[in-house]
C-alpha cells in the first residue's frame, strides 16, 4: 500500500524481509531476556514462572492479532500512534503516542541500566554510569551507519544469544537427568497448593517486559520490503518462537534454583537467581557466561534495535507536527532519521546516568516501560473495534471485536495486579500528556495528521503532503 495514500512520501529504504524483521523481533525481545529478571518473576508468580510466561504469550498473541489488523489498514511508521490518530482522531493519536513514548524512550534507558549493573557485577571497578555511557555511545554509532549495518549486526547477536541459550539448556537438562536440582516436575507450570490467578498475573505483570518488542515491528512498516504483510507475519513468528524459548529456559532454571522457598520469600535483590541456577547446572563458568550474555544482549543487541524503533516513533510524530520538526529529517545518504537517533541517545545518556545513581532506578524504569506498553496495547484493541464499526463493519466479528475485547480484559487484569509504582508513574505521565494536549489545542497547534495529495487536476481541495512537515 503506497504511503501517498496517507500524505507521506517513501523516504526509508525497504530493506527488511520477513527473516530480517523476525530477527529484529527476537533480538528486541531478547531470547535470553528471562536471565535478567528471572528472580523477580519467580517470586511474583510464587514459583509458577513457566505458567506466567505462557499467559503472557497468550496476551501478546491476542495483541498481535490487533496489530495485524491495523498495520494492514495503516502501514505507517508510527505504529499504534498512527493507528489511533487515523482510526479515531488525531487527539487520541497524540495521547496514545504520548503513552508509547513512555515505553519506547524508557526502554533504551532500562536496557543500559540493566546491562550496566550486570557488567559492574563482573567488573566491579567500572561503575554502572560508565557502562551506561559506553552502551549508549556504541549503539548510537552502529545505528547512524544505516539499516543495513543494523540488520547484519542483528543476525550476529541473535546467533550468539541462541548459542548461549542452547548451552544452558543442554547443561541444565543433563544436570536434572543426573539428579541435580529438584528433578523433573511441572510445578513451574502449576502448583496446586499455591495457585491463584492473582499470583500468576502478578508474575505476568513483570514477565511481560520480556515480550515487549514484537510490537516495535509495526514501527518498521516503512522499512519492510513487502509492507504490512511482512510485518504481520514477522510479529506472529517472532512471538511464537520466543515464547517457546522463554518457557523452556524458565522451566529448566526453576527446577535448578538452589532454594526456591527463600527466593519466593526474600526476592532476588542481587539479580543473580538465574546465574545461581546456571552454576548448579554447569559450575561457575556457566554462571559467568550467562551473566555476560545478559549484559551484552540487553546493553548492545536489544538496545540497538530499541533505539531504531524509538527513532521511528519520534520521526512519525515529528512529521505530523506533534514533536519538533528536526526529528523528522532523514539522512539522504544513509536513509536514517539521524536527528531522532541522536535525540534518543541524548535522553538515554542524561537520564540513564542520573538513574544509575538511584537505588530504585531499574525498578522505576521497568514500571514506566510496562505501564506505557499496556496502555498502548489497550488503545490498540479499542481502535480495532472503533475502526471496524466506523468503516461499515467489514471483516469478521471474531478478529475485529471478540479478540480485541479479550485482549483488553487480559491487559486490564495485568495492570490491576501490577506494581503500585507502575500505576502511579503511568497515570502521572498520562496526566502530563493531557495537559500538553490542552496547551497545544489552546495555542492553535492541536494535533493534525497529513492527508493524501489531491488527484491531478483537482482544484477543489488543497491537501498538504508530509514534505511540508519535514
Amino acid at each position: 500500500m503506497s504511503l501517498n495514500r496517507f500524505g507521506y512520501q517513501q523516504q526509508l529504504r525497504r530493506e527488511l524481509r520477513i527473516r530480517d524483521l523476525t530477527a529484529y523481533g527476537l533480538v528486541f525481545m531478547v531470547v535470553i531476556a528471562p536471565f535478567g529478571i528471572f528472580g523477580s518473576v519467580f517470586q511474583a508468580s510464587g514459583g509458577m514462572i513457566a505458567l506466567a510466561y505462557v499467559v503472557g504469550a497468550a496476551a501478546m498473541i491476542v495483541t498481535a492479532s490487533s496489530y495485524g489488523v491495523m498495520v494492514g489498514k495503516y502501514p505507517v511508521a508510527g505504529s499504534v500512534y498512527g493507528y489511533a490518530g487515523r482510526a479515531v482522531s488525531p487527539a487520541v493519536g497524540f495521547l496514545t503516542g504520548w503513552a508509547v513514548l513512555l515505553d519506547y524512550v524508557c526502554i533504551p534507558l532500562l536496557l543500559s541500566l540493566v546491562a550496566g549493573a550486570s557488567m559492574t557485577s563482573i567488573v566491579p571497578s567500572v561503575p554502572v554510569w560508565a557502562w551506561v555511557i559506553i552502551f549508549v555511545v556504541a549503539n548510537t554509532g552502529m545505528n547512524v551507519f544505516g539499516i543495513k549495518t543494523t540488520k547484519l549486526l542483528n543476525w550476529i547477536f541473535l546467533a550468539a544469544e541462541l548459542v548461549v541459550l542452547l548451552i544452558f539448556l543442554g547443561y541444565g537438562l543433563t544436570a536434572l537427568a543426573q539428579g541435580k536440582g529438584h528433578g523433573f516436575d511441572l510445578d513451574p507450570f502449576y502448583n496446586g497448593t499455591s495457585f491463584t490467578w492473582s499470583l500468576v498475573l502478578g508474575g505476568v505483570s513483570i514477565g511481560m517486559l520480556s515480550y515487549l518488542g514484537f510490537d516495535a515491528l509495526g514501527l518498521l512498516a516503512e522499512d519492510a520490503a513487502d509492507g504490512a504483510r511482512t510485518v504481520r507475519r514477522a510479529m506472529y513468528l517472532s512471538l511464537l518462537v520466543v515464547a517457546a524459548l522463554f518457557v523452556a529456559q524458565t522451566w529448566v532454571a526453576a527446577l535448578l534454583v538452589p532454594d526456591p522457598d527463600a527466593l519466593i520469600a526474600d526476592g532476588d535483590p542481587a539479580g543473580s537467581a538465574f546465574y545461581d541456577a546456571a552454576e548448579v547446572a554447569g559450575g561457575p563458568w556457566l554462571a559467568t557466561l550467562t551473566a555476560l550474555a545478559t549484559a551484552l544482549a540487553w546493553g548492545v543487541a536489544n538496545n540497538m534495535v530499541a533505539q531504531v524503533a524509538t527513532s521511528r516513533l519520534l520521526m512519525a510524530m515529528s512529521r505530523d507536527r506533534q514533536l519538533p520538526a528536526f526529528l523528522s529529517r532523514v539522512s539522504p545518504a544513509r536513509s536514517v532519521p539521524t536527528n531522532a537517533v541522536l535525540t534518543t541517545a541524548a535522553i538515554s545518556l542524561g537520564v540513564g546516568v542520573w538513574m544509575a545513581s538511584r537505588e530504585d532506578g531499574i525498578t522505576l524504569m521497568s514500571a514506566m516501560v510496562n505501564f506505557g506498553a499496556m496502555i498502548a496495547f489497550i488503545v490498540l484493541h479499542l481502535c480495532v473495534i472503533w475502526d471496524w464499526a466506523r468503516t461499515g463493519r467489514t471483516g469478521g466479528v471474531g478478529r475485529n471485536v471478540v479478540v480485541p475485547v479479550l485482549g483488553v480484559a487480559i491487559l486490564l487484569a495485568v495492570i490491576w495486579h501490577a506494581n503500585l509504582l507502575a500505576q502511579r508513574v503511568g497515570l502521572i505521565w498520562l496526566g502530563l500528556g493531557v495537559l500538553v494536549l490542552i496547551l497545544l489545542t489552546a495555542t492553535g497547534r492541536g494535533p493534525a495528521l497529513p492527508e493524501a495529495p489531491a488527484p491531478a487536476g483537482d482544484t477543489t481541495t488543497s491537501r498538504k503532503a508530509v514534505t511540508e512537515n519535514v
Side-chain angles (χ1 to χ4, degrees):
M1 186 182 294
S2 174
L3 289 179
N4 290 334
R5 175 183 174 185
F6 304 104
Y8 301 131
Q9 290 183 353
Q10 182 68 45
Q11 293 180 290
L12 304 177
R13 295 193 186 113
R14 291 195 177 275
E15 297 276 358
L16 304 180
R17 301 188 180 279
I18 186 169
R19 60 178 180 273
D20 303 314
L21 285 170
T22 301
Y24 259 84
L26 294 177
V27 172
F28 206 148
M29 286 183 279
V30 186
V31 294
I32 56 173
F35 286 16
I37 58 174
F38 175 84
S40 298
V41 184
F42 189 95
Q43 181 191 35
S45 62
M48 291 175 285
I49 185 170
L51 177 60
Y53 274 100
V54 169
V55 175
M60 292 299 95
I61 289 172
V62 169
T63 301
S65 174
S66 289
Y67 266 108
V69 172
M70 298 308 288
V71 76
K73 295 180 178 180
Y74 310 103
V76 293
S79 189
V80 66
Y81 149 72
Y83 310 154
R86 295 184 180 280
V88 185
S89 73
V92 174
F94 172 82
L95 289 176
T96 305
W98 186 266
V100 174
L101 278 176
L102 182 67
D103 176 8
Y104 280 100
V105 172
C106 290
I107 280 180
L109 293 173
L110 174 61
L111 297 173
S112 297
L113 285 172
V114 171
S118 298
M119 288 303 297
T120 297
S121 69
I122 299 173
V123 188
S125 59
V126 181
V128 174
W129 64 264
W131 285 114
V132 168
I133 294 175
I134 291 171
F135 286 128
V136 171
V137 171
N139 283 296
T140 303
M142 288 184 284
N143 279 327
V144 297
F145 276 105
I147 198 72
K148 283 187 176 180
T149 302
T150 307
K151 180 174 68 175
L152 174 62
L153 291 171
N154 264 345
W155 283 105
I156 294 173
F157 282 122
L158 178 58
E161 291 175 26
L162 288 172
V163 168
V164 173
L165 177 55
L166 289 175
I167 290 173
F168 168 75
L169 290 175
Y171 274 89
L173 291 171
T174 300
L176 290 170
Q178 293 173 345
K180 296 181 181 179
H182 314 290
F184 291 101
D185 64 47
L186 297 179
D187 281 354
F189 287 97
Y190 179 78
N191 186 330
T193 61
S194 60
F195 173 84
T196 65
W197 276 114
S198 177
L199 193 64
V200 173
L201 290 172
V204 173
S205 69
I206 301 173
M208 193 80 78
L209 179 66
S210 303
Y211 288 108
L212 299 186
F214 84 91
D215 51 303
L217 296 182
L219 293 169
L220 300 176
E222 294 176 33
D223 297 272
D226 193 19
R229 180 172 177 268
T230 302
V231 171
R232 184 165 53 243
R233 292 172 62 192
M235 279 186 177
Y236 284 119
L237 185 56
S238 59
L239 263 177
L240 291 173
V241 171
V242 85
L245 295 176
F246 285 171
V247 171
Q249 64 193 269
T250 54
W251 174 61
V252 172
L255 298 177
L256 293 168
V257 170
D259 191 347
D261 292 336
L263 181 57
I264 293 173
D266 303 327
D268 184 28
S272 62
F274 192 94
Y275 316 131
D276 295 338
E279 185 169 354
V280 173
W285 72 269
L286 186 55
T288 300
L289 176 64
T290 52
L292 181 61
T294 300
L296 294 179
W298 286 61
V300 180
N302 196 5
N303 211 334
M304 180 175 61
V305 293
Q307 198 178 70
V308 169
T310 303
S311 67
R312 268 53 177 184
L313 176 61
L314 294 177
M315 180 194 77
M317 295 186 71
S318 171
R319 69 185 181 184
D320 292 338
R321 297 182 178 182
Q322 298 184 22
L323 287 177
F326 81 95
L327 293 173
S328 63
R329 298 191 184 116
V330 175
S331 166
R334 303 190 183 279
S335 186
V336 172
T338 307
N339 290 343
V341 171
L342 294 176
T343 298
T344 302
I347 295 172
S348 296
L349 276 176
V351 183
V353 170
W354 171 47
M355 284 293 170
S357 65
R358 296 174 56 100
E359 291 185 0
D360 63 345
I362 292 178
T363 300
L364 181 58
M365 286 294 101
S366 299
M368 293 169 70
V369 168
N370 279 336
F371 194 93
M374 296 303 107
I375 292 298
F377 292 163
I378 288 173
V379 172
L380 168 72
H381 289 303
L382 295 177
C383 283
V384 172
I385 300 172
W386 180 279
D387 199 54
W388 176 78
R390 181 180 65 87
T391 57
R393 301 184 180 183
T394 57
V397 175
R399 192 174 185 188
N400 290 279
V401 179
V402 177
V403 171
V405 168
L406 177 62
V408 170
I410 295 174
L411 291 168
L412 286 175
V414 172
I415 289 177
W416 181 260
H417 292 91
N419 185 282
L420 184 60
L421 177 61
Q423 299 171 353
R424 289 177 176 173
V425 171
L427 290 175
I428 290 173
W429 178 257
L430 287 178
L432 288 174
V434 172
L435 292 178
V436 171
L437 177 60
I438 293 173
L439 178 62
L440 290 174
T441 303
T443 56
R445 295 179 295 151
L449 295 175
E451 300 178 31
D458 184 353
T459 59
T460 60
T461 305
S462 176
R463 298 182 177 182
K464 295 181 180 181
V466 71
T467 50
E468 296 177 308
N469 295 335
V470 178

